Amino acid sequence: MTCRICEAPTKEFLDLGESPPANSLVDSPNQRQASYPLVLEWCESCGNVQLRDCLGADELYSDYLYVTPRSGMLSEHYEHLSDYLMVNDYMTADSTVLEIGSNVGYFLEHLKPRVKTVVGVDPARQISEMANAAGIPTVCDFFNEESACRVADLHGRPDVVVARHCLAHNEWPQAMVKGAAAVLGVGGYFVIENAYVLNTIENTEFDQVYHEHMFYYSIKSMSEILRRHDMVLVDVLMSLVHGGSIIFVARRGDGQPTDAVHRYASREDLFLNGATFARFAERTESIKQSLRQLVDELTRSGESIYTYGATAKGNTLLNYVGITAEQIPFCVDNTEMKQGKFLPKSGIEVISEERGLEEPPGYFLLTAWNYQDEIITKARKAGNFKSKFIVPIPFVRIV
Ligand code: TYD
């Protein structure tokens, strides 16, 4: 196919089969759902890694129900990120900050006392209503040049535009970048946070591949997108959130990249290549084989297994490995909105953590492995010393 950043031809390197959209829990175990391929490809020319088949944004986001969790780890991250932006003068007490995909507004809520004005833009109806009700002015819209200009007319021209974990969630991210470029004056900053492709690959996080994740950014590919919209990458910062993220800081007009940009870019020169992608695909296949074998052996010997975390990535994992409710009947998750529903395709029923404690299974397959310590500590504190945990990523092991 063709690179959606630089139009060069791409090469496929990972095929996870077909899966329904990963965040679409269903009301009954037998509800039929359309599945779509999950294939990754990369572009030798600009280093871009992209999902081959993309679903429309309307289909994915208008009724989107993902609410950013209140989590200690995320609050610390907001604190660290805003300090970093302030200390480096990317943001000041006088800044107007516009956040794209601001969800219920937790990051803006954090920034509000530190800057002059905050405003969010988010396409999900219920989510943006929740943000407004909580006092974070939020416009319900897809972000592009037109909506950006409208928001800037209403709330003031931004000095900083922030896009956290949303630039990969769109088949044509150029529309968002173009919108940011249209409202930022020369010298304004565009701050983008996303999963970092080298982390995803090195940790064999193939389960991060689902239909919402349409791009897996590198410094190389992000620089190419920015260059096309009169912006330059001036800084990068690594973070542990969401299994390993990168924060790109771009400046409208020109600017000098920091040493960090050069350092990480030279790592990409070494590792962003066909051999790395081929090894990633081999390790992915080997996780599939080991997990398949382990689940077969345990269930054959009469052990009970539940999954822990009704996560999007868990659905990729379960459907790729071919695990269904026949072997794993329940998934424990503390999100009320998810309880009583069923995971797409596998048909596994989501139950509360309390129900998971009533008769704890012999094993939990940790599909929310990014919260491994938090979840295991919680189970032990609640008196569950029986269940062992199967951690699937970066390799299958029992803890
Ligand atoms: P998340 O990490 O957002 O995964 P994804 O982006 O792949 O969907 O989801 C974590 C899930 O784990 C969320 O549904 C809440 C659940 N969870 C619990 O049930 N108990 C816990 O103690 C924690 C930390 C999370």
Side-chain angles (χ1 to χ4, degrees), residues 66 210 311-313 333-335 338 353 368 370-371 375 378:
Y66 179 85
Y210 43 88
T311 56
K313 55 185 164 295
D333 195 291
N334 65 0
T335 318
K338 296 181 179 177
E353 288 179 323
N370 45 326
Y371 293 108
I375 286 175
K378 191 194 252 184

Side-chain angles (χ1 to χ4, degrees), residues 98-114:
L98 184 161
E99 187 181 9
I100 310 173
S102 47
N103 202 266
V104 285
Y106 291 158
F107 183 54
L108 289 179
E109 178 187 271
H110 183 85
L111 288 183
K112 204 174 167 186
R114 298 164 188 233

